[in-house]
Amino acid sequence: MWTIHLLYSDNVVVRDVIIETYPACTPMASRWIQAATCGSPIVNIDTGDDGIVLKSGKDADGRRVNRPTENISITNCTVHHAHGAVTLGSEISGGIRNVVADNFTCAGTEVGVRIKSRRGRGGFVEDVRFNNWTMENVGTGIEVTSYYLMEGETKTSQEPVSARTPVFRDIGISHMSISHARQAAISVEGIPEMPISGLCLSDVIGVGQDWNESIVYTRIGIT
């Protein structure tokens, strides 16, 4: 499934890695992970799925284990072909928090910053920061959605808030340059019973593949 898979791991450093294959790099239910370097990119990824993806368990089993993925620092990375350059989810049942992804370059990815989940997962994504990104020729620059469906899953109807309900809150995305976005610069979709809260976009410049003008987001807050 994945080239580097950090499962139930503490105090890990990954650096100076080149991945040119179909799998991806996935920490799951881990903490104190640092992917950093001095100078050159720590990770240079060209892959057929998400490039760097954080998860914390799936549905009822993930809630039973109840171990969050937390305290993650990812810096100075280059991602080429991938579904998402850095993805959180969709399996977030144990929760994901305290994540920083800084100084990224991505070219040719389907999505740059990607946060995704769906009803039934439960869990949360909170206190995450994405800063200083340059994106070129992406499908969508920034995607935050509670409507993600995996193959074989079907769309569900609104339901009462419960342990099955995913929660996204306190997310900061800043200093983004998105060039030649084929679909959208930014896409945000929360479910009616649990809107996304505390999402702040600042200093984002988006230019579409066929747009005549750029769109500059100085500061947008969702509370």
Side-chain angles (χ1 to χ4, degrees):
M1 285 290 290
W2 301 299
T3 302
I4 301 173
H5 185 189
L6 308 176
L7 176 64
Y8 298 156
S9 304
D10 290 348
N11 302 311
V12 178
V13 176
V14 180
R15 68 173 70 234
D16 300 325
V17 175
I18 297 174
I19 298 173
E20 295 178 342
T21 184
Y22 282 99
C25 175
T26 305
M28 180 181 291
S30 302
R31 55 191 177 183
W32 298 110
I33 308 295
Q34 182 182 22
T37 187
C38 297
S40 61
I42 119 162
V43 178
N44 191 321
I45 295 176
D46 195 336
T47 184
D49 207 293
D50 290 317
I52 298 173
V53 53
L54 309 183
K55 302 177 182 288
S56 64
K58 184 176 179 180
D59 299 349
D61 184 64
R63 296 192 293 272
R64 177 187 61 81
V65 176
N66 193 31
R67 177 166 175 162
T69 291
E70 59 187 349
N71 306 323
I72 310 294
S73 175
I74 313 167
T75 60
N76 302 332
C77 298
T78 298
V79 181
H80 299 285
H81 300 98
H83 288 181
V86 173
T87 297
L88 279 54
S90 66
E91 297 87 349
I92 63 166
S93 302
I96 297 174
R97 63 186 171 212
N98 301 336
V99 177
V100 175
D102 277 345
N103 301 326
F104 263 74
T105 299
C106 56
T109 63
E110 292 182 18
V111 183
V113 173
R114 192 181 197 193
I115 302 175
K116 59 182 184 179
S117 194
R118 52 151 289 177
R119 294 183 180 100
R121 296 279 188 260
F124 57 85
V125 173
E126 64 183 14
D127 298 325
V128 300
R129 299 292 180 267
F130 298 86
N131 304 305
N132 301 320
W133 282 50
T134 299
M135 307 184 202
E136 173 71 29
N137 191 31
V138 296
T140 299
I142 298 165
E143 180 184 62
V144 183
T145 180
S146 302
Y147 282 100
Y148 176 74
L149 295 177
M150 298 175 66
E151 185 176 354
E153 294 179 336
T154 58
K155 190 173 181 178
T156 56
S157 301
Q158 184 172 341
E159 59 184 55
V161 174
S162 68
R164 290 170 41 86
T165 309
V167 180
F168 294 161
R169 59 194 172 209
D170 301 330
I171 299 165
I173 301 173
S174 64
H175 297 96
M176 300 273 163
S177 176
I178 305 166
S179 181
H180 298 96
R182 298 185 299 277
Q183 298 173 10
I186 300 169
S187 175
V188 178
E189 291 183 297
I191 52 178
E193 63 267 33
M194 185 57 68
I196 296 163
S197 65
L199 169 62
C200 182
L201 306 174
S202 61
D203 297 312
V204 177
I205 299 174
V207 181
Q209 191 172 42
D210 299 316
W211 306 346
N212 294 323
E213 298 180 357
S214 64
I215 298 177
V216 179
Y217 302 86
T218 302
R219 184 177 180 88
I220 298 176
I222 299 175
T223 58

